[in-house]
Amino acid sequence: MLNDTYDVINIHGYGDYAADITCLLKKLRLLGDTALILTIHGLYGLKSGYLASDFSVPFPSMRQRIRSFFHHFLYDYTLGKLETNTFDKVIIQSEDDRRYLSKNGLKEDRIVKIPIAINEIFFKHTSTVPRSDRYYILYAGRIDPFKGLDVLAKAIKELKSIGISLKCIIAGKDCGYGSQLRFLLNKLDIVDQVEVRDYISQENLLELYSHAVVTVLPSLSEGFSLALVESIATGTPFIATPVGANPELVALTNAGILVPVGEPKILAETILHVIKDEQLWSNMSTNGQKSVSNFSYEKVVEKHYQVYSELTK
């Protein structure tokens, strides 16, 4: 980096070593007039610090609450704050990110909101599987404590208790929560209904979305969920919590419904409502596919180009 001259350096990830090192090099005046951009893919560290200090919010465990709380003060108010204020522009994916960064002292004129683009394979998916051929609930994403998978499991149990035995597929990389999740599924006696899958290729993921009746994302904290956009690209409506960019996606696409964080009974009722109301399902399915062009590579690249052009005038 020091041996070459660049017009722009774009670093990805709040709290990553690359961002910290770039910040320090800039402060040491070793990067000259190079414009710096930080692209943030979710403020999990910063957000979890605020969540940990708010005892009205459900949290995975007291140990994680304490760790996140101290991380928040030790990093976010020192190097994290210095990092975000050193970059010329900070690209975010949601108004939620904007709010947390503003709390941490970042000026509004440094913030630019640009969504993430989804894989082109989802735009080649032109046909929609009819509602009658969809037979399971889908969660697609990391298997970790912040994704609210315990709430989803309890919602499946709620449905089972009233005689609704819907299959559920949880697909994604295990980030340290898989064993706890499987223990909970056993405890709730829903192992026969919930299938946990590891890594899924893009082609197989497309197939999973296409045959799901609804995608569920009951997260405690979120950035910009690619899973929800991928879901609506296949005509599958979603149910999500009002965190991260989820409220904005609901408003923009009219393809999803928001439910409170940590409320399995309400989640179960909403799942039942979506799958039983065929007109509602059809409307959300159609709305989602009409709006998905907002997340194409072409549109997202154009917005990035505008930021680069502004900084290199």
Side-chain angles (χ1 to χ4, degrees):
M1 186 184 290
L2 296 177
N3 296 326
D4 295 292
T5 301
Y6 301 95
D7 294 319
V8 177
I9 296 176
N10 192 170
I11 301 294
H12 289 252
Y14 170 81
D16 287 353
Y17 290 124
D20 294 338
I21 292 170
T22 302
C23 165
L24 293 175
L25 290 175
K26 183 72 171 181
K27 288 298 182 183
L28 292 171
R29 302 179 185 277
L30 296 175
L31 295 179
D33 296 326
T34 301
L36 298 182
I37 300 172
L38 176 64
T39 298
I40 292 176
H41 299 281
L43 289 163
Y44 299 108
L46 184 59
K47 289 180 182 179
S48 64
Y50 282 110
L51 287 171
S53 60
D54 183 356
F55 281 81
S56 67
V57 177
F59 215 74
S61 71
M62 182 56 69
R63 181 180 177 184
Q64 287 169 322
R65 185 183 287 276
I66 293 170
R67 185 175 64 187
S68 294
F69 181 76
F70 279 103
H71 177 277
H72 176 48
F73 284 98
L74 292 174
Y75 181 85
D76 295 327
Y77 282 118
T78 54
L79 191 54
K81 188 171 184 177
L82 178 66
E83 174 188 300
T84 53
N85 281 281
T86 298
F87 283 80
D88 298 290
K89 292 290 181 182
V90 177
I91 295 176
I92 61 171
Q93 278 86 46
S94 73
E95 290 302 317
D96 198 45
D97 287 347
R98 189 191 303 274
R99 184 168 63 254
Y100 280 102
L101 287 170
S102 295
K103 279 184 181 180
N104 216 35
L106 184 62
K107 294 181 179 179
E108 176 64 30
D109 61 359
R110 290 176 180 258
I111 303 173
V112 182
K113 187 173 74 171
I114 302 176
I116 302 174
I118 60 172
N119 195 298
E120 290 181 344
I121 191 173
F122 289 93
F123 290 99
K124 296 174 183 176
H125 180 82
T126 54
S127 61
T128 303
V129 176
R131 166 68 184 82
S132 57
D133 292 336
R134 295 167 179 259
Y135 55 93
Y136 54 80
I137 300 163
L138 176 65
Y139 165 85
R142 295 191 314 277
I143 299 176
D144 74 29
F146 291 98
K147 293 298 186 178
L149 294 175
D150 58 325
V151 178
L152 176 56
K154 291 171 185 175
I156 299 299
K157 178 67 174 180
E158 286 277 349
L159 291 170
K160 184 177 181 179
S161 70
I162 59 172
I164 308 294
S165 296
L166 274 171
K167 181 179 179 181
C168 176
I169 296 177
I170 295 175
K173 180 182 178 182
D174 184 357
C175 295
Y177 188 65
S179 58
Q180 288 176 258
L181 176 61
R182 288 181 173 86
F183 176 81
L184 179 61
L185 297 179
N186 272 294
K187 183 179 178 181
L188 295 174
D189 191 28
I190 54 172
V191 175
D192 58 331
Q193 285 179 246
V194 182
E195 179 185 350
V196 181
R197 299 188 185 181
D198 294 324
Y199 171 78
I200 304 291
S201 68
Q202 287 289 304
E203 290 77 11
N204 289 338
L205 190 56
L206 177 61
E207 187 70 15
L208 274 181
Y209 283 123
S210 299
H211 288 88
V213 65
V214 66
T215 296
V216 177
L217 186 68
S219 305
L220 279 71
S221 176
E222 196 63 58
F224 180 94
S225 174
L226 277 179
L228 298 186
V229 182
E230 291 169 347
S231 178
I232 64 173
T234 64
T236 304
F238 67 84
I239 299 170
T241 45
V243 297
N246 295 350
E248 296 163 62
L249 284 174
V250 169
L252 177 65
T253 67
N254 291 313
I257 296 176
L258 298 175
V259 295
V261 173
E263 296 286 349
K265 187 171 184 180
I266 296 176
L267 177 57
E269 291 170 352
T270 307
I271 290 171
L272 195 57
H273 176 51
V274 170
I275 64 176
K276 284 199 167 186
D277 190 330
E278 293 188 10
Q279 188 60 56
L280 172 66
W281 188 94
S282 178
N283 289 342
M284 289 198 295
S285 176
T286 301
N287 292 340
Q289 288 192 302
K290 285 180 179 178
S291 63
V292 78
S293 62
N294 291 295
F295 309 101
S296 67
Y297 281 133
E298 290 80 6
K299 289 194 175 181
V300 172
V301 167
E302 182 182 348
K303 291 179 180 180
H304 278 87
Y305 179 76
Q306 290 171 357
V307 176
Y308 293 167
S309 298
E310 179 187 337
L311 291 176
T312 55
K313 284 180 180 177

